[in-house]
PDB file of all heavy atoms in Angstrom:
ATOM      1  N   ARG J 392      29.048 173.630 126.021  1.00 91.00           N
ATOM      2  CA  ARG J 392      28.788 174.966 125.479  1.00 91.00           C
ATOM      3  C   ARG J 392      28.263 174.831 124.053  1.00 91.00           C
ATOM      4  O   ARG J 392      28.670 173.956 123.317  1.00 91.00           O
ATOM      5  CB  ARG J 392      30.062 175.808 125.472  1.00 91.00           C
ATOM      6  CG  ARG J 392      30.668 176.040 126.852  1.00 91.00           C
ATOM      7  CD  ARG J 392      31.908 176.917 126.757  1.00 91.00           C
ATOM      8  NE  ARG J 392      32.938 176.308 125.915  1.00 91.00           N
ATOM      9  CZ  ARG J 392      33.951 176.974 125.379  1.00 91.00           C
ATOM     10  NH1 ARG J 392      34.066 178.276 125.566  1.00 91.00           N
ATOM     11  NH2 ARG J 392      34.837 176.353 124.629  1.00 91.00           N
ATOM     12  N   GLY J 393      27.340 175.724 123.702  1.00 90.00           N
ATOM     13  CA  GLY J 393      26.815 175.719 122.347  1.00 90.00           C
ATOM     14  C   GLY J 393      25.918 174.533 122.043  1.00 90.00           C
ATOM     15  O   GLY J 393      25.853 174.081 120.904  1.00 90.00           O
ATOM     16  N   ALA J 394      25.203 174.035 123.058  1.00 94.00           N
ATOM     17  CA  ALA J 394      24.352 172.853 122.886  1.00 94.00           C
ATOM     18  C   ALA J 394      22.916 173.293 122.636  1.00 94.00           C
ATOM     19  O   ALA J 394      22.158 173.558 123.570  1.00 94.00           O
ATOM     20  CB  ALA J 394      24.433 171.957 124.110  1.00 94.00           C
ATOM     21  N   ALA J 395      22.522 173.352 121.373  1.00 94.00           N
ATOM     22  CA  ALA J 395      21.205 173.878 121.017  1.00 94.00           C
ATOM     23  C   ALA J 395      20.073 172.983 121.512  1.00 94.00           C
ATOM     24  O   ALA J 395      19.032 173.480 121.968  1.00 94.00           O
ATOM     25  CB  ALA J 395      21.107 174.053 119.506  1.00 94.00           C
ATOM     26  N   MET J 396      20.233 171.665 121.422  1.00 96.00           N
ATOM     27  CA  MET J 396      19.161 170.778 121.874  1.00 96.00           C
ATOM     28  C   MET J 396      18.971 170.885 123.381  1.00 96.00           C
ATOM     29  O   MET J 396      17.829 170.883 123.877  1.00 96.00           O
ATOM     30  CB  MET J 396      19.461 169.330 121.468  1.00 96.00           C
ATOM     31  CG  MET J 396      18.337 168.352 121.816  1.00 96.00           C
ATOM     32  SD  MET J 396      16.759 168.682 120.978  1.00 96.00           S
ATOM     33  CE  MET J 396      17.101 168.001 119.355  1.00 96.00           C
ATOM     34  N   TRP J 397      20.054 170.979 124.121  1.00 96.00           N
ATOM     35  CA  TRP J 397      19.969 171.148 125.585  1.00 96.00           C
ATOM     36  C   TRP J 397      19.135 172.382 125.922  1.00 96.00           C
ATOM     37  O   TRP J 397      18.197 172.313 126.722  1.00 96.00           O
ATOM     38  CB  TRP J 397      21.375 171.271 126.169  1.00 96.00           C
ATOM     39  CG  TRP J 397      21.432 171.512 127.653  1.00 96.00           C
ATOM     40  CD1 TRP J 397      21.252 172.701 128.295  1.00 96.00           C
ATOM     41  CD2 TRP J 397      21.678 170.536 128.669  1.00 96.00           C
ATOM     42  NE1 TRP J 397      21.373 172.536 129.649  1.00 96.00           N
ATOM     43  CE2 TRP J 397      21.638 171.222 129.909  1.00 96.00           C
ATOM     44  CE3 TRP J 397      21.949 169.169 128.660  1.00 96.00           C
ATOM     45  CZ2 TRP J 397      21.848 170.570 131.125  1.00 96.00           C
ATOM     46  CZ3 TRP J 397      22.165 168.527 129.877  1.00 96.00           C
ATOM     47  CH2 TRP J 397      22.110 169.209 131.081  1.00 96.00           C
ATOM     48  N   GLU J 398      19.480 173.514 125.305  1.00 95.00           N
ATOM     49  CA  GLU J 398      18.776 174.760 125.598  1.00 95.00           C
ATOM     50  C   GLU J 398      17.336 174.725 125.089  1.00 95.00           C
ATOM     51  O   GLU J 398      16.430 175.271 125.731  1.00 95.00           O
ATOM     52  CB  GLU J 398      19.524 175.946 124.984  1.00 95.00           C
ATOM     53  CG  GLU J 398      20.936 176.150 125.525  1.00 95.00           C
ATOM     54  CD  GLU J 398      20.958 176.449 127.024  1.00 95.00           C
ATOM     55  OE1 GLU J 398      19.933 176.890 127.576  1.00 95.00           O
ATOM     56  OE2 GLU J 398      22.018 176.237 127.647  1.00 95.00           O
ATOM     57  N   SER J 399      17.109 174.073 123.964  1.00 96.00           N
ATOM     58  CA  SER J 399      15.762 174.002 123.404  1.00 96.00           C
ATOM     59  C   SER J 399      14.841 173.142 124.261  1.00 96.00           C
ATOM     60  O   SER J 399      13.664 173.470 124.466  1.00 96.00           O
ATOM     61  CB  SER J 399      15.822 173.456 121.979  1.00 96.00           C
ATOM     62  OG  SER J 399      16.563 174.322 121.131  1.00 96.00           O
ATOM     63  N   LEU J 400      15.361 172.043 124.785  1.00 96.00           N
ATOM     64  CA  LEU J 400      14.560 171.204 125.672  1.00 96.00           C
ATOM     65  C   LEU J 400      14.198 171.948 126.946  1.00 96.00           C
ATOM     66  O   LEU J 400      13.079 171.837 127.460  1.00 96.00           O
ATOM     67  CB  LEU J 400      15.313 169.911 125.999  1.00 96.00           C
ATOM     68  CG  LEU J 400      15.435 168.903 124.855  1.00 96.00           C
ATOM     69  CD1 LEU J 400      16.463 167.834 125.189  1.00 96.00           C
ATOM     70  CD2 LEU J 400      14.091 168.260 124.546  1.00 96.00           C
ATOM     71  N   ARG J 401      15.151 172.724 127.445  1.00 95.00           N
ATOM     72  CA  ARG J 401      14.874 173.518 128.652  1.00 95.00           C
ATOM     73  C   ARG J 401      13.817 174.579 128.382  1.00 95.00           C
ATOM     74  O   ARG J 401      12.956 174.846 129.236  1.00 95.00           O
ATOM     75  CB  ARG J 401      16.157 174.187 129.148  1.00 95.00           C
ATOM     76  CG  ARG J 401      17.190 173.234 129.732  1.00 95.00           C
ATOM     77  CD  ARG J 401      18.427 173.970 130.178  1.00 95.00           C
ATOM     78  NE  ARG J 401      18.139 174.933 131.241  1.00 95.00           N
ATOM     79  CZ  ARG J 401      18.998 175.829 131.701  1.00 95.00           C
ATOM     80  NH1 ARG J 401      20.207 175.897 131.164  1.00 95.00           N
ATOM     81  NH2 ARG J 401      18.653 176.648 132.666  1.00 95.00           N
ATOM     82  N   ALA J 402      13.864 175.180 127.209  1.00 96.00           N
ATOM     83  CA  ALA J 402      12.931 176.254 126.867  1.00 96.00           C
ATOM     84  C   ALA J 402      11.581 175.726 126.380  1.00 96.00           C
ATOM     85  O   ALA J 402      10.585 176.459 126.377  1.00 96.00           O
ATOM     86  CB  ALA J 402      13.540 177.144 125.786  1.00 96.00           C
ATOM     87  N   GLY J 403      11.551 174.463 125.963  1.00 96.00           N
ATOM     88  CA  GLY J 403      10.322 173.906 125.422  1.00 96.00           C
ATOM     89  C   GLY J 403      10.033 174.334 124.000  1.00 96.00           C
ATOM     90  O   GLY J 403       8.924 174.154 123.500  1.00 96.00           O
ATOM     91  N   ARG J 404      11.037 174.872 123.318  1.00 96.00           N
ATOM     92  CA  ARG J 404      10.900 175.328 121.939  1.00 96.00           C
ATOM     93  C   ARG J 404      12.304 175.464 121.354  1.00 96.00           C
ATOM     94  O   ARG J 404      13.281 175.592 122.099  1.00 96.00           O
ATOM     95  CB  ARG J 404      10.188 176.683 121.876  1.00 96.00           C
ATOM     96  CG  ARG J 404      10.877 177.764 122.675  1.00 96.00           C
ATOM     97  CD  ARG J 404      10.207 179.112 122.605  1.00 96.00           C
ATOM     98  NE  ARG J 404      10.844 180.064 123.500  1.00 96.00           N
ATOM     99  CZ  ARG J 404      11.984 180.702 123.266  1.00 96.00           C
ATOM    100  NH1 ARG J 404      12.618 180.486 122.124  1.00 96.00           N
ATOM    101  NH2 ARG J 404      12.491 181.540 124.143  1.00 96.00           N
ATOM    102  N   PRO J 405      12.432 175.467 120.031  1.00 96.00           N
ATOM    103  CA  PRO J 405      13.761 175.633 119.439  1.00 96.00           C
ATOM    104  C   PRO J 405      14.349 177.012 119.754  1.00 96.00           C
ATOM    105  O   PRO J 405      13.645 178.026 119.650  1.00 96.00           O
ATOM    106  CB  PRO J 405      13.504 175.492 117.931  1.00 96.00           C
ATOM    107  CG  PRO J 405      12.205 174.782 117.832  1.00 96.00           C
ATOM    108  CD  PRO J 405      11.400 175.220 119.017  1.00 96.00           C
ATOM    109  N   VAL J 406      15.601 177.049 120.164  1.00 94.00           N
ATOM    110  CA  VAL J 406      16.281 178.309 120.426  1.00 94.00           C
ATOM    111  C   VAL J 406      17.626 178.312 119.716  1.00 94.00           C
ATOM    112  O   VAL J 406      18.193 177.265 119.408  1.00 94.00           O
ATOM    113  CB  VAL J 406      16.488 178.552 121.940  1.00 94.00           C
ATOM    114  CG1 VAL J 406      15.158 178.636 122.667  1.00 94.00           C
ATOM    115  CG2 VAL J 406      17.360 177.461 122.547  1.00 94.00           C
ATOM    116  N   GLU J 407      18.137 179.506 119.455  1.00 90.00           N
ATOM    117  CA  GLU J 407      19.450 179.655 118.844  1.00 90.00           C
ATOM    118  C   GLU J 407      20.518 179.725 119.928  1.00 90.00           C
ATOM    119  O   GLU J 407      20.287 180.270 121.011  1.00 90.00           O
ATOM    120  CB  GLU J 407      19.506 180.930 118.003  1.00 90.00           C
ATOM    121  CG  GLU J 407      18.688 180.875 116.728  1.00 90.00           C
ATOM    122  CD  GLU J 407      18.831 182.139 115.906  1.00 90.00           C
ATOM    123  OE1 GLU J 407      19.066 183.201 116.509  1.00 90.00           O
ATOM    124  OE2 GLU J 407      18.711 182.058 114.681  1.00 90.00           O
ATOM    125  N   VAL J 408      21.681 179.194 119.642  1.00 90.00           N
ATOM    126  CA  VAL J 408      22.831 179.311 120.524  1.00 90.00           C
ATOM    127  C   VAL J 408      24.046 179.660 119.674  1.00 90.00           C
ATOM    128  O   VAL J 408      24.073 179.400 118.472  1.00 90.00           O
ATOM    129  CB  VAL J 408      23.111 178.010 121.309  1.00 90.00           C
ATOM    130  CG1 VAL J 408      21.953 177.661 122.236  1.00 90.00           C
ATOM    131  CG2 VAL J 408      23.410 176.855 120.364  1.00 90.00           C
ATOM    132  N   GLU J 409      25.035 180.232 120.305  1.00 86.00           N
ATOM    133  CA  GLU J 409      26.285 180.519 119.591  1.00 86.00           C
ATOM    134  C   GLU J 409      27.043 179.224 119.377  1.00 86.00           C
ATOM    135  O   GLU J 409      27.226 178.433 120.305  1.00 86.00           O
ATOM    136  CB  GLU J 409      27.153 181.490 120.398  1.00 86.00           C
ATOM    137  CG  GLU J 409      28.459 181.844 119.702  1.00 86.00           C
ATOM    138  CD  GLU J 409      29.354 182.739 120.548  1.00 86.00           C
ATOM    139  OE1 GLU J 409      28.952 183.093 121.679  1.00 86.00           O
ATOM    140  OE2 GLU J 409      30.466 183.071 120.075  1.00 86.00           O
ATOM    141  N   GLU J 410      27.470 178.996 118.152  1.00 81.00           N
ATOM    142  CA  GLU J 410      28.244 177.797 117.842  1.00 81.00           C
ATOM    143  C   GLU J 410      29.701 178.029 118.218  1.00 81.00           C
ATOM    144  O   GLU J 410      30.320 178.995 117.767  1.00 81.00           O
ATOM    145  CB  GLU J 410      28.123 177.455 116.364  1.00 81.00           C
ATOM    146  CG  GLU J 410      28.650 176.086 116.012  1.00 81.00           C
ATOM    147  CD  GLU J 410      28.295 175.684 114.594  1.00 81.00           C
ATOM    148  OE1 GLU J 410      27.380 176.292 114.006  1.00 81.00           O
ATOM    149  OE2 GLU J 410      28.951 174.759 114.073  1.00 81.00           O
ATOM    150  N   ILE J 411      30.244 177.146 119.063  1.00 86.00           N
ATOM    151  CA  ILE J 411      31.576 177.324 119.624  1.00 86.00           C
ATOM    152  C   ILE J 411      32.463 176.160 119.198  1.00 86.00           C
ATOM    153  O   ILE J 411      32.028 175.001 119.186  1.00 86.00           O
ATOM    154  CB  ILE J 411      31.486 177.405 121.166  1.00 86.00           C
ATOM    155  CG1 ILE J 411      30.666 178.635 121.568  1.00 86.00           C
ATOM    156  CG2 ILE J 411      32.876 177.476 121.785  1.00 86.00           C
ATOM    157  CD1 ILE J 411      30.337 178.706 123.039  1.00 86.00           C
ATOM    158  N   GLU J 412      33.699 176.468 118.851  1.00 87.00           N
ATOM    159  CA  GLU J 412      34.636 175.431 118.445  1.00 87.00           C
ATOM    160  C   GLU J 412      34.819 174.417 119.571  1.00 87.00           C
ATOM    161  O   GLU J 412      34.924 174.775 120.736  1.00 87.00           O
ATOM    162  CB  GLU J 412      35.982 176.065 118.082  1.00 87.00           C
ATOM    163  CG  GLU J 412      36.971 175.090 117.477  1.00 87.00           C
ATOM    164  CD  GLU J 412      38.237 175.770 116.994  1.00 87.00           C
ATOM    165  OE1 GLU J 412      38.359 176.989 117.156  1.00 87.00           O
ATOM    166  OE2 GLU J 412      39.110 175.058 116.453  1.00 87.00           O
ATOM    167  N   SER J 413      34.846 173.138 119.213  1.00 93.00           N
ATOM    168  CA  SER J 413      34.908 172.078 120.213  1.00 93.00           C
ATOM    169  C   SER J 413      35.610 170.860 119.648  1.00 93.00           C
ATOM    170  O   SER J 413      35.585 170.613 118.430  1.00 93.00           O
ATOM    171  CB  SER J 413      33.494 171.695 120.659  1.00 93.00           C
ATOM    172  OG  SER J 413      33.497 170.521 121.444  1.00 93.00           O
ATOM    173  N   LEU J 414      36.204 170.054 120.538  1.00 95.00           N
ATOM    174  CA  LEU J 414      36.709 168.751 120.127  1.00 95.00           C
ATOM    175  C   LEU J 414      35.567 167.890 119.594  1.00 95.00           C
ATOM    176  O   LEU J 414      35.768 167.050 118.725  1.00 95.00           O
ATOM    177  CB  LEU J 414      37.373 168.042 121.318  1.00 95.00           C
ATOM    178  CG  LEU J 414      38.691 168.625 121.815  1.00 95.00           C
ATOM    179  CD1 LEU J 414      39.089 167.968 123.131  1.00 95.00           C
ATOM    180  CD2 LEU J 414      39.794 168.453 120.772  1.00 95.00           C
ATOM    181  N   GLY J 415      34.384 168.107 120.110  1.00 94.00           N
ATOM    182  CA  GLY J 415      33.203 167.384 119.649  1.00 94.00           C
ATOM    183  C   GLY J 415      32.457 168.160 118.589  1.00 94.00           C
ATOM    184  O   GLY J 415      31.232 168.326 118.689  1.00 94.00           O
ATOM    185  N   ASP J 416      33.160 168.646 117.560  1.00 87.00           N
ATOM    186  CA  ASP J 416      32.571 169.566 116.582  1.00 87.00           C
ATOM    187  C   ASP J 416      31.352 168.985 115.883  1.00 87.00           C
ATOM    188  O   ASP J 416      30.463 169.726 115.468  1.00 87.00           O
ATOM    189  CB  ASP J 416      33.618 169.985 115.541  1.00 87.00           C
ATOM    190  CG  ASP J 416      34.255 168.790 114.844  1.00 87.00           C
ATOM    191  OD1 ASP J 416      33.691 168.322 113.842  1.00 87.00           O
ATOM    192  OD2 ASP J 416      35.304 168.320 115.310  1.00 87.00           O
ATOM    193  N   SER J 417      31.252 167.666 115.756  1.00 87.00           N
ATOM    194  CA  SER J 417      30.084 167.071 115.102  1.00 87.00           C
ATOM    195  C   SER J 417      28.805 167.266 115.902  1.00 87.00           C
ATOM    196  O   SER J 417      27.708 167.058 115.376  1.00 87.00           O
ATOM    197  CB  SER J 417      30.313 165.572 114.876  1.00 87.00           C
ATOM    198  OG  SER J 417      31.347 165.362 113.948  1.00 87.00           O
TER     199      SER J 417
END
Side-chain angles (χ1 to χ4, degrees):
R392 299 182 300 162
M396 184 62 78
W397 177 280
E398 298 298 339
S399 297
L400 289 167
R401 290 179 62 189
R404 57 179 174 78
V406 298
E407 289 183 331
V408 297
E409 181 184 0
E410 192 170 342
I411 297 171
E412 187 174 2
S413 170
L414 290 170
D416 56 87
S417 294

